[in-house]
Amino acid sequence: MNATAHGTAEQVPEQTIPLDLQTMRQTSLRALEKGSDDLSREDLDSLTQALRGMLMLAIPEVTAAADRHPKGDMPRICALVGVEEASRHLRARPVPAASPWALRQAQRLARSVMALTDHYVNLGGPDSANLGGQA
């Protein structure tokens, strides 16, 4: 019998994949840089989906990093505000890539990704040392 059948299940530590902050920033810059309005519909759709996925990964990580700080800590408060804003952007109805508003939506997502990477670094997230001086 396994350990669970005996009621002695071991606590398995939660395993997370470290955030690739450099890739997240580079992808975000693609939506924010000059000339991004020339992206094809397919590229814009792909970029938007990538940014949405990055936010889905970053939100719980930034929240966990913020929870390691005391209530009232300014970096914690700022990070949680950023998490809430990013969550609002994720809840917004996706705009079709053919819409004139599609790039604006991608740029909002990109700014949220950039903000969450900054908050993650400011909170001392586990992978923040890999960024070096890019914060």
Side-chain angles (χ1 to χ4, degrees), residues 14-21 23-24 27 48-65 68 83 86-87 90 109 112-113 116-117 120 125-127:
E14 186 175 314
Q15 302 248 337
T16 60
I17 298 171
L19 296 178
D20 185 348
L21 301 176
T23 298
M24 293 171 74
T27 303
T48 300
Q49 291 304 315
L51 292 166
R52 291 178 64 81
M54 289 174 182
L55 286 177
M56 288 180 209
L57 292 172
I59 287 171
E61 292 296 324
V62 173
T63 301
R68 291 190 287 272
V83 164
S87 296
L90 279 179
L109 294 169
S112 282
V113 169
L116 290 186
T117 60
Y120 191 70
D127 197 39

Side-chain angles (χ1 to χ4, degrees), residues 25-101:
R25 288 175 188 248
Q26 289 173 345
T27 303
S28 297
L29 288 174
R30 190 164 172 229
L32 298 171
E33 66 191 3
K34 190 174 184 175
S36 61
D37 53 344
D38 293 332
L39 290 171
S40 70
R41 289 180 184 175
E42 294 80 20
D43 286 344
L44 183 57
D45 186 52
S46 177
L47 180 60
T48 300
Q49 291 304 315
L51 292 166
R52 291 178 64 81
M54 289 174 182
L55 286 177
M56 288 180 209
L57 292 172
I59 287 171
E61 292 296 324
V62 173
T63 301
D67 287 345
R68 291 190 287 272
H69 289 258
K71 291 184 192 303
D73 182 54
M74 194 53 69
R76 178 184 194 271
I77 293 169
C78 292
L80 293 176
V81 169
V83 164
E84 180 55 37
E85 183 173 343
S87 296
R88 278 195 307 272
H89 292 312
L90 279 179
R91 288 191 303 267
R93 180 179 299 154
V95 177
S99 168
W101 300 106

